[in-house]
């Protein structure tokens, strides 16, 4: 079974620039999550999709972050404009969406803002 | 407020030794508790998932315990190996919304 694929693995940009991350979940997984993980902390949920609908985006800074999941499969997360405090690893995860089933994580995109 | 606290923050042990990591939570109502292993530069990988009715679950050399009454869990690693060096994250899911609350992790280092 192929895992969750994310790209790019690393990205360095200057503040106020824009950036986009891509995620391809495990085939058949209805639920997709984007997390932000700051160094030394646990992941923080940004947005959760069920198929192509948003279930939870309460912690997404909507003035600069946006995400979409067209056709209920791949997803992109965008930051525009980036701030210094956005430096983090952005993790994508997917699951079957059934209780007590694990989330499967990608290896993330490490974003550095100069 | 739902919280998950882990201890110790970091731990260094010799290869071959056993260790136990702790997790306390305040998430209510409770659905399940998960332990994840996160290698440096990689995404978290699920080790165990325990529901309210389960008080122990093993995955190879990893054994997780759960006391739902005291809201505590532990992860015991037996005969540690160098490859066990990683962060171990405790995650609790709330019943109903299945929203996950993450701990900040325990950074485990195994030295030869």
């Amino acid at each position: 079974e192929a895992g969750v694929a994310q790209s790019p693995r690393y990205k360095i940009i200057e503040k106020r620039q824009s950036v986009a991350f891509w995620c391809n979940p495990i085939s058949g997984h209805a639920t997709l999550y984007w997390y932000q993980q700051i160094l030394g902390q646990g992941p923080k949920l940004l947005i959760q999709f069920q198929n192509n609908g948003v279930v939870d985006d309460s912690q997404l800074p909507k003035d600069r972050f946006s995400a979409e999941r067209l056709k209920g499969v791949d997803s992109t997360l965008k930051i525009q404009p980036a701030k210094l405090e956005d430096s983090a690893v952005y993790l994508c995860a997917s699951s079957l969406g059934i209780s007590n089933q694990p989330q499967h994580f990608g290896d993330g995109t490490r974003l550095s803002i100069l | 407020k739902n919280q998950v606290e882990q201890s110790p923050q970091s731990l260094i042990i010799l290869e071959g030794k056993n260790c136990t990591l702790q997790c306390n939570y305040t998430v209510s109502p409770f659905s399940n508790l998960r332990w994840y292993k996160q290698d440096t530069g990689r995404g978290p990988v699920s080790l165990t998932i325990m529901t309210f009715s389960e008080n122990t679950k093993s995955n190879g050399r990893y054994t997780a315990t759960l006391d739902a009454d005291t809201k505590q869990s532990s992860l015991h690693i037996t005969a540690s190996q160098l490859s066990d060096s990683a962060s171990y994250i405790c995650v609790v899911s709330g019943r109903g919304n299945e929203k996950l609350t993450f701990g900040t992790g325990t950074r485990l280092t195994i030295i030869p």
Side-chain angles (χ1 to χ4, degrees), chain B residues 48-91:
Chain B
T48 62
I49 297 178
M50 289 183 292
T51 61
F52 184 89
S53 59
E54 297 172 299
N55 56 23
T56 187
K57 183 166 277 191
S58 292
N59 179 356
R61 295 180 295 102
Y62 301 101
T63 300
T65 64
L66 172 65
D67 186 333
D69 291 331
T70 62
K71 298 185 178 178
Q72 295 180 326
S73 176
S74 65
L75 180 70
H76 186 74
I77 304 175
T78 304
S80 61
Q81 300 176 359
L82 296 178
S83 59
D84 293 332
S85 293
S87 288
Y88 291 84
I89 305 174
C90 176
V91 186

mmCIF file of all heavy atoms in Angstrom, chain B residues 48-91:
data_model
loop_
_atom_site.group_PDB
_atom_site.id
_atom_site.type_symbol
_atom_site.label_atom_id
_atom_site.label_comp_id
_atom_site.label_asym_id
_atom_site.label_seq_id
_atom_site.Cartn_x
_atom_site.Cartn_y
_atom_site.Cartn_z
ATOM 1 N N THR B 48 -0.017 2.103 18.474
ATOM 2 C CA THR B 48 -1.172 1.437 19.090
ATOM 3 C C THR B 48 -2.357 2.389 19.147
ATOM 4 O O THR B 48 -2.189 3.608 19.164
ATOM 5 C CB THR B 48 -0.883 0.991 20.535
ATOM 6 O OG1 THR B 48 -0.610 2.137 21.334
ATOM 7 C CG2 THR B 48 0.280 0.017 20.625
ATOM 8 N N ILE B 49 -3.538 1.810 19.158
ATOM 9 C CA ILE B 49 -4.778 2.557 19.419
ATOM 10 C C ILE B 49 -5.561 1.762 20.459
ATOM 11 O O ILE B 49 -5.769 0.554 20.297
ATOM 12 C CB ILE B 49 -5.636 2.707 18.163
ATOM 13 C CG1 ILE B 49 -4.927 3.516 17.094
ATOM 14 C CG2 ILE B 49 -6.963 3.394 18.506
ATOM 15 C CD1 ILE B 49 -5.714 3.648 15.807
ATOM 16 N N MET B 50 -5.969 2.422 21.543
ATOM 17 C CA MET B 50 -6.727 1.742 22.593
ATOM 18 C C MET B 50 -8.027 2.471 22.852
ATOM 19 O O MET B 50 -8.064 3.698 22.963
ATOM 20 C CB MET B 50 -5.917 1.683 23.887
ATOM 21 C CG MET B 50 -4.748 0.724 23.824
ATOM 22 S SD MET B 50 -3.891 0.627 25.394
ATOM 23 C CE MET B 50 -3.191 2.269 25.439
ATOM 24 N N THR B 51 -9.104 1.708 22.949
ATOM 25 C CA THR B 51 -10.401 2.277 23.295
ATOM 26 C C THR B 51 -10.616 2.182 24.796
ATOM 27 O O THR B 51 -9.779 1.635 25.522
ATOM 28 C CB THR B 51 -11.527 1.532 22.564
ATOM 29 O OG1 THR B 51 -11.503 0.156 22.986
ATOM 30 C CG2 THR B 51 -11.335 1.588 21.062
ATOM 31 N N PHE B 52 -11.752 2.681 25.243
ATOM 32 C CA PHE B 52 -12.075 2.756 26.673
ATOM 33 C C PHE B 52 -11.986 1.399 27.358
ATOM 34 O O PHE B 52 -11.549 1.285 28.491
ATOM 35 C CB PHE B 52 -13.492 3.323 26.822
ATOM 36 C CG PHE B 52 -13.905 3.551 28.235
ATOM 37 C CD1 PHE B 52 -13.634 4.758 28.852
ATOM 38 C CD2 PHE B 52 -14.565 2.570 28.959
ATOM 39 C CE1 PHE B 52 -14.014 4.989 30.153
ATOM 40 C CE2 PHE B 52 -14.948 2.792 30.267
ATOM 41 C CZ PHE B 52 -14.676 4.002 30.874
ATOM 42 N N SER B 53 -12.371 0.352 26.637
ATOM 43 C CA SER B 53 -12.465 -0.975 27.258
ATOM 44 C C SER B 53 -11.143 -1.748 27.252
ATOM 45 O O SER B 53 -11.043 -2.814 27.839
ATOM 46 C CB SER B 53 -13.527 -1.808 26.538
ATOM 47 O OG SER B 53 -13.188 -1.928 25.170
ATOM 48 N N GLU B 54 -10.128 -1.192 26.586
ATOM 49 C CA GLU B 54 -8.851 -1.884 26.507
ATOM 50 C C GLU B 54 -7.884 -1.289 27.511
ATOM 51 O O GLU B 54 -7.739 -0.064 27.573
ATOM 52 C CB GLU B 54 -8.273 -1.766 25.098
ATOM 53 C CG GLU B 54 -9.136 -2.427 24.041
ATOM 54 C CD GLU B 54 -8.631 -2.129 22.634
ATOM 55 O OE1 GLU B 54 -8.588 -0.946 22.244
ATOM 56 O OE2 GLU B 54 -8.289 -3.106 21.932
ATOM 57 N N ASN B 55 -7.180 -2.114 28.271
ATOM 58 C CA ASN B 55 -6.218 -1.560 29.214
ATOM 59 C C ASN B 55 -4.775 -1.897 28.865
ATOM 60 O O ASN B 55 -3.844 -1.427 29.532
ATOM 61 C CB ASN B 55 -6.535 -1.979 30.658
ATOM 62 C CG ASN B 55 -6.613 -3.481 30.801
ATOM 63 O OD1 ASN B 55 -6.057 -4.224 30.007
ATOM 64 N ND2 ASN B 55 -7.307 -3.930 31.825
ATOM 65 N N THR B 56 -4.571 -2.704 27.823
ATOM 66 C CA THR B 56 -3.218 -2.956 27.367
ATOM 67 C C THR B 56 -3.240 -3.412 25.919
ATOM 68 O O THR B 56 -4.173 -4.090 25.478
ATOM 69 C CB THR B 56 -2.497 -4.002 28.249
ATOM 70 O OG1 THR B 56 -1.130 -4.086 27.845
ATOM 71 C CG2 THR B 56 -3.158 -5.354 28.144
ATOM 72 N N LYS B 57 -2.211 -2.987 25.181
ATOM 73 C CA LYS B 57 -2.090 -3.406 23.781
ATOM 74 C C LYS B 57 -0.613 -3.412 23.417
ATOM 75 O O LYS B 57 0.113 -2.486 23.766
ATOM 76 C CB LYS B 57 -2.878 -2.474 22.872
ATOM 77 C CG LYS B 57 -2.859 -2.902 21.411
ATOM 78 C CD LYS B 57 -3.913 -2.179 20.616
ATOM 79 C CE LYS B 57 -5.268 -2.838 20.740
ATOM 80 N NZ LYS B 57 -6.254 -2.293 19.774
ATOM 81 N N SER B 58 -0.203 -4.455 22.729
ATOM 82 C CA SER B 58 1.209 -4.595 22.373
ATOM 83 C C SER B 58 1.417 -4.534 20.867
ATOM 84 O O SER B 58 0.543 -4.922 20.085
ATOM 85 C CB SER B 58 1.770 -5.916 22.901
ATOM 86 O OG SER B 58 1.821 -5.907 24.301
ATOM 87 N N ASN B 59 2.593 -4.058 20.491
ATOM 88 C CA ASN B 59 3.023 -4.026 19.102
ATOM 89 C C ASN B 59 4.516 -4.323 19.126
ATOM 90 O O ASN B 59 5.332 -3.421 19.276
ATOM 91 C CB ASN B 59 2.732 -2.656 18.487
ATOM 92 C CG ASN B 59 3.194 -2.559 17.047
ATOM 93 O OD1 ASN B 59 3.801 -3.483 16.513
ATOM 94 N ND2 ASN B 59 2.918 -1.432 16.416
ATOM 95 N N GLY B 60 4.852 -5.601 19.038
ATOM 96 C CA GLY B 60 6.256 -5.991 19.133
ATOM 97 C C GLY B 60 6.811 -5.678 20.512
ATOM 98 O O GLY B 60 6.279 -6.100 21.533
ATOM 99 N N ARG B 61 7.898 -4.891 20.529
ATOM 100 C CA ARG B 61 8.531 -4.533 21.802
ATOM 101 C C ARG B 61 7.838 -3.355 22.493
ATOM 102 O O ARG B 61 8.270 -2.913 23.555
ATOM 103 C CB ARG B 61 10.011 -4.217 21.558
ATOM 104 C CG ARG B 61 10.821 -5.425 21.086
ATOM 105 C CD ARG B 61 12.278 -5.066 20.846
ATOM 106 N NE ARG B 61 12.422 -4.107 19.752
ATOM 107 C CZ ARG B 61 12.631 -2.808 19.929
ATOM 108 N NH1 ARG B 61 12.728 -2.298 21.150
ATOM 109 N NH2 ARG B 61 12.754 -2.009 18.881
ATOM 110 N N TYR B 62 6.810 -2.826 21.889
ATOM 111 C CA TYR B 62 6.064 -1.698 22.465
ATOM 112 C C TYR B 62 4.783 -2.222 23.136
ATOM 113 O O TYR B 62 4.020 -2.948 22.507
ATOM 114 C CB TYR B 62 5.660 -0.702 21.373
ATOM 115 C CG TYR B 62 6.811 -0.110 20.603
ATOM 116 C CD1 TYR B 62 7.152 -0.571 19.338
ATOM 117 C CD2 TYR B 62 7.562 0.934 21.135
ATOM 118 C CE1 TYR B 62 8.198 -0.009 18.624
ATOM 119 C CE2 TYR B 62 8.604 1.490 20.430
ATOM 120 C CZ TYR B 62 8.918 1.011 19.172
ATOM 121 O OH TYR B 62 9.964 1.570 18.471
ATOM 122 N N THR B 63 4.573 -1.839 24.386
ATOM 123 C CA THR B 63 3.352 -2.194 25.094
ATOM 124 C C THR B 63 2.748 -0.935 25.698
ATOM 125 O O THR B 63 3.407 -0.245 26.472
ATOM 126 C CB THR B 63 3.613 -3.213 26.217
ATOM 127 O OG1 THR B 63 4.159 -4.399 25.649
ATOM 128 C CG2 THR B 63 2.311 -3.554 26.943
ATOM 129 N N ALA B 64 1.512 -0.646 25.317
ATOM 130 C CA ALA B 64 0.813 0.522 25.846
ATOM 131 C C ALA B 64 -0.220 0.071 26.864
ATOM 132 O O ALA B 64 -0.841 -0.982 26.717
ATOM 133 C CB ALA B 64 0.131 1.288 24.718
ATOM 134 N N THR B 65 -0.372 0.855 27.920
ATOM 135 C CA THR B 65 -1.404 0.593 28.914
ATOM 136 C C THR B 65 -2.304 1.808 29.029
ATOM 137 O O THR B 65 -1.896 2.937 28.730
ATOM 138 C CB THR B 65 -0.799 0.298 30.294
ATOM 139 O OG1 THR B 65 -0.116 1.456 30.770
ATOM 140 C CG2 THR B 65 0.160 -0.881 30.233
ATOM 141 N N LEU B 66 -3.523 1.582 29.440
ATOM 142 C CA LEU B 66 -4.488 2.670 29.591
ATOM 143 C C LEU B 66 -5.299 2.464 30.857
ATOM 144 O O LEU B 66 -5.832 1.379 31.096
ATOM 145 C CB LEU B 66 -5.434 2.704 28.381
ATOM 146 C CG LEU B 66 -6.612 3.675 28.477
ATOM 147 C CD1 LEU B 66 -6.132 5.125 28.511
ATOM 148 C CD2 LEU B 66 -7.584 3.462 27.315
ATOM 149 N N ASP B 67 -5.365 3.512 31.680
ATOM 150 C CA ASP B 67 -6.257 3.541 32.835
ATOM 151 C C ASP B 67 -7.239 4.685 32.599
ATOM 152 O O ASP B 67 -6.914 5.841 32.844
ATOM 153 C CB ASP B 67 -5.462 3.754 34.123
ATOM 154 C CG ASP B 67 -6.339 3.655 35.372
ATOM 155 O OD1 ASP B 67 -7.558 3.936 35.274
ATOM 156 O OD2 ASP B 67 -5.820 3.311 36.426
ATOM 157 N N ALA B 68 -8.420 4.333 32.095
ATOM 158 C CA ALA B 68 -9.399 5.355 31.740
ATOM 159 C C ALA B 68 -9.982 6.049 32.967
ATOM 160 O O ALA B 68 -10.510 7.150 32.873
ATOM 161 C CB ALA B 68 -10.511 4.738 30.902
ATOM 162 N N ASP B 69 -9.888 5.400 34.127
ATOM 163 C CA ASP B 69 -10.410 6.024 35.345
ATOM 164 C C ASP B 69 -9.528 7.180 35.797
ATOM 165 O O ASP B 69 -10.018 8.240 36.180
ATOM 166 C CB ASP B 69 -10.522 4.982 36.470
ATOM 167 C CG ASP B 69 -11.608 3.962 36.185
ATOM 168 O OD1 ASP B 69 -12.594 4.309 35.497
ATOM 169 O OD2 ASP B 69 -11.465 2.805 36.634
ATOM 170 N N THR B 70 -8.213 6.962 35.767
ATOM 171 C CA THR B 70 -7.276 8.021 36.171
ATOM 172 C C THR B 70 -6.823 8.857 34.984
ATOM 173 O O THR B 70 -6.091 9.824 35.155
ATOM 174 C CB THR B 70 -6.047 7.418 36.867
ATOM 175 O OG1 THR B 70 -5.374 6.564 35.938
ATOM 176 C CG2 THR B 70 -6.445 6.627 38.100
ATOM 177 N N LYS B 71 -7.236 8.468 33.784
ATOM 178 C CA LYS B 71 -6.878 9.191 32.558
ATOM 179 C C LYS B 71 -5.367 9.235 32.373
ATOM 180 O O LYS B 71 -4.771 10.298 32.161
ATOM 181 C CB LYS B 71 -7.495 10.593 32.551
ATOM 182 C CG LYS B 71 -9.022 10.553 32.575
ATOM 183 C CD LYS B 71 -9.641 11.927 32.442
ATOM 184 C CE LYS B 71 -11.169 11.788 32.415
ATOM 185 N NZ LYS B 71 -11.852 13.077 32.333
ATOM 186 N N GLN B 72 -4.783 8.052 32.488
ATOM 187 C CA GLN B 72 -3.347 7.931 32.309
ATOM 188 C C GLN B 72 -3.037 6.787 31.354
ATOM 189 O O GLN B 72 -3.747 5.776 31.312
ATOM 190 C CB GLN B 72 -2.664 7.662 33.655
ATOM 191 C CG GLN B 72 -2.790 8.793 34.656
ATOM 192 C CD GLN B 72 -2.100 8.478 35.974
ATOM 193 O OE1 GLN B 72 -2.074 7.336 36.412
ATOM 194 N NE2 GLN B 72 -1.531 9.496 36.591
ATOM 195 N N SER B 73 -1.949 6.958 30.617
ATOM 196 C CA SER B 73 -1.466 5.906 29.736
ATOM 197 C C SER B 73 0.052 5.861 29.829
ATOM 198 O O SER B 73 0.697 6.860 30.157
ATOM 199 C CB SER B 73 -1.895 6.172 28.290
ATOM 200 O OG SER B 73 -1.351 5.202 27.411
ATOM 201 N N SER B 74 0.603 4.694 29.535
ATOM 202 C CA SER B 74 2.050 4.575 29.478
ATOM 203 C C SER B 74 2.429 3.757 28.256
ATOM 204 O O SER B 74 1.643 2.937 27.762
ATOM 205 C CB SER B 74 2.597 3.913 30.749
ATOM 206 O OG SER B 74 2.136 2.576 30.839
ATOM 207 N N LEU B 75 3.623 4.011 27.767
ATOM 208 C CA LEU B 75 4.189 3.236 26.668
ATOM 209 C C LEU B 75 5.495 2.646 27.161
ATOM 210 O O LEU B 75 6.411 3.381 27.526
ATOM 211 C CB LEU B 75 4.430 4.109 25.427
ATOM 212 C CG LEU B 75 5.025 3.370 24.226
ATOM 213 C CD1 LEU B 75 3.986 2.409 23.641
ATOM 214 C CD2 LEU B 75 5.489 4.361 23.154
ATOM 215 N N HIS B 76 5.560 1.321 27.204
ATOM 216 C CA HIS B 76 6.738 0.621 27.693
ATOM 217 C C HIS B 76 7.495 0.042 26.508
ATOM 218 O O HIS B 76 6.893 -0.638 25.662
ATOM 219 C CB HIS B 76 6.328 -0.498 28.653
ATOM 220 C CG HIS B 76 7.486 -1.175 29.301
ATOM 221 N ND1 HIS B 76 8.224 -0.596 30.309
ATOM 222 C CD2 HIS B 76 8.042 -2.382 29.073
ATOM 223 C CE1 HIS B 76 9.185 -1.424 30.686
ATOM 224 N NE2 HIS B 76 9.094 -2.517 29.956
ATOM 225 N N ILE B 77 8.784 0.320 26.446
ATOM 226 C CA ILE B 77 9.636 -0.200 25.381
ATOM 227 C C ILE B 77 10.600 -1.191 26.002
ATOM 228 O O ILE B 77 11.341 -0.855 26.939
ATOM 229 C CB ILE B 77 10.392 0.921 24.662
ATOM 230 C CG1 ILE B 77 9.405 1.956 24.120
ATOM 231 C CG2 ILE B 77 11.245 0.351 23.521
ATOM 232 C CD1 ILE B 77 10.064 3.179 23.491
ATOM 233 N N THR B 78 10.589 -2.388 25.488
ATOM 234 C CA THR B 78 11.421 -3.464 26.028
ATOM 235 C C THR B 78 12.660 -3.657 25.157
ATOM 236 O O THR B 78 12.583 -3.596 23.931
ATOM 237 C CB THR B 78 10.617 -4.777 26.065
ATOM 238 O OG1 THR B 78 9.425 -4.582 26.823
ATOM 239 C CG2 THR B 78 11.428 -5.897 26.667
ATOM 240 N N ALA B 79 13.787 -3.902 25.814
ATOM 241 C CA ALA B 79 15.042 -4.211 25.098
ATOM 242 C C ALA B 79 15.281 -3.201 23.983
ATOM 243 O O ALA B 79 15.300 -3.556 22.795
ATOM 244 C CB ALA B 79 14.989 -5.635 24.554
ATOM 245 N N SER B 80 15.479 -1.963 24.350
ATOM 246 C CA SER B 80 15.558 -0.868 23.378
ATOM 247 C C SER B 80 16.662 -1.098 22.350
ATOM 248 O O SER B 80 17.708 -1.721 22.625
ATOM 249 C CB SER B 80 15.780 0.450 24.100
ATOM 250 O OG SER B 80 16.995 0.420 24.817
ATOM 251 N N GLN B 81 16.398 -0.573 21.153
ATOM 252 C CA GLN B 81 17.344 -0.636 20.052
ATOM 253 C C GLN B 81 17.641 0.784 19.583
ATOM 254 O O GLN B 81 16.861 1.707 19.831
ATOM 255 C CB GLN B 81 16.753 -1.467 18.903
ATOM 256 C CG GLN B 81 16.424 -2.897 19.290
ATOM 257 C CD GLN B 81 15.762 -3.679 18.172
ATOM 258 O OE1 GLN B 81 15.513 -3.158 17.086
ATOM 259 N NE2 GLN B 81 15.469 -4.951 18.425
ATOM 260 N N LEU B 82 18.750 0.939 18.877
ATOM 261 C CA LEU B 82 19.132 2.264 18.392
ATOM 262 C C LEU B 82 18.028 2.866 17.533
ATOM 263 O O LEU B 82 17.814 4.082 17.539
ATOM 264 C CB LEU B 82 20.437 2.185 17.604
ATOM 265 C CG LEU B 82 21.672 1.752 18.401
ATOM 266 C CD1 LEU B 82 22.887 1.665 17.479
ATOM 267 C CD2 LEU B 82 21.941 2.706 19.555
ATOM 268 N N SER B 83 17.310 2.022 16.807
ATOM 269 C CA SER B 83 16.240 2.508 15.922
ATOM 270 C C SER B 83 15.013 3.019 16.685
ATOM 271 O O SER B 83 14.099 3.591 16.090
ATOM 272 C CB SER B 83 15.794 1.396 14.968
ATOM 273 O OG SER B 83 15.338 0.280 15.712
ATOM 274 N N ASP B 84 14.996 2.802 17.995
ATOM 275 C CA ASP B 84 13.895 3.337 18.805
ATOM 276 C C ASP B 84 14.077 4.823 19.092
ATOM 277 O O ASP B 84 13.161 5.468 19.614
ATOM 278 C CB ASP B 84 13.790 2.583 20.138
ATOM 279 C CG ASP B 84 13.370 1.135 19.979
ATOM 280 O OD1 ASP B 84 12.662 0.834 18.998
ATOM 281 O OD2 ASP B 84 13.762 0.306 20.824
ATOM 282 N N SER B 85 15.240 5.376 18.771
ATOM 283 C CA SER B 85 15.473 6.805 18.968
ATOM 284 C C SER B 85 14.488 7.586 18.099
ATOM 285 O O SER B 85 14.511 7.475 16.873
ATOM 286 C CB SER B 85 16.902 7.185 18.588
ATOM 287 O OG SER B 85 17.834 6.608 19.483
ATOM 288 N N ALA B 86 13.622 8.357 18.747
ATOM 289 C CA ALA B 86 12.559 9.061 18.047
ATOM 290 C C ALA B 86 11.767 9.871 19.063
ATOM 291 O O ALA B 86 12.040 9.807 20.268
ATOM 292 C CB ALA B 86 11.613 8.079 17.348
ATOM 293 N N SER B 87 10.784 10.614 18.582
ATOM 294 C CA SER B 87 9.807 11.247 19.477
ATOM 295 C C SER B 87 8.577 10.364 19.543
ATOM 296 O O SER B 87 8.153 9.821 18.512
ATOM 297 C CB SER B 87 9.428 12.634 18.969
ATOM 298 O OG SER B 87 10.481 13.543 19.144
ATOM 299 N N TYR B 88 8.027 10.224 20.723
ATOM 300 C CA TYR B 88 6.828 9.406 20.918
ATOM 301 C C TYR B 88 5.704 10.330 21.360
ATOM 302 O O TYR B 88 5.815 11.021 22.374
ATOM 303 C CB TYR B 88 7.093 8.303 21.937
ATOM 304 C CG TYR B 88 8.052 7.286 21.392
ATOM 305 C CD1 TYR B 88 9.431 7.498 21.464
ATOM 306 C CD2 TYR B 88 7.596 6.142 20.752
ATOM 307 C CE1 TYR B 88 10.320 6.586 20.927
ATOM 308 C CE2 TYR B 88 8.475 5.223 20.218
ATOM 309 C CZ TYR B 88 9.841 5.454 20.301
ATOM 310 O OH TYR B 88 10.716 4.546 19.752
ATOM 311 N N ILE B 89 4.644 10.345 20.568
ATOM 312 C CA ILE B 89 3.554 11.298 20.768
ATOM 313 C C ILE B 89 2.296 10.563 21.204
ATOM 314 O O ILE B 89 1.890 9.575 20.577
ATOM 315 C CB ILE B 89 3.264 12.094 19.476
ATOM 316 C CG1 ILE B 89 4.546 12.780 18.986
ATOM 317 C CG2 ILE B 89 2.185 13.139 19.731
ATOM 318 C CD1 ILE B 89 4.389 13.469 17.641
ATOM 319 N N CYS B 90 1.692 11.041 22.277
ATOM 320 C CA CYS B 90 0.433 10.505 22.773
ATOM 321 C C CYS B 90 -0.702 11.370 22.211
ATOM 322 O O CYS B 90 -0.621 12.609 22.246
ATOM 323 C CB CYS B 90 0.431 10.551 24.297
ATOM 324 S SG CYS B 90 -1.106 10.025 25.084
ATOM 325 N N VAL B 91 -1.717 10.737 21.670
ATOM 326 C CA VAL B 91 -2.814 11.457 21.025
ATOM 327 C C VAL B 91 -4.142 10.908 21.546
ATOM 328 O O VAL B 91 -4.342 9.699 21.559
ATOM 329 C CB VAL B 91 -2.761 11.290 19.490
ATOM 330 C CG1 VAL B 91 -3.810 12.173 18.831
ATOM 331 C CG2 VAL B 91 -1.374 11.601 18.958
#
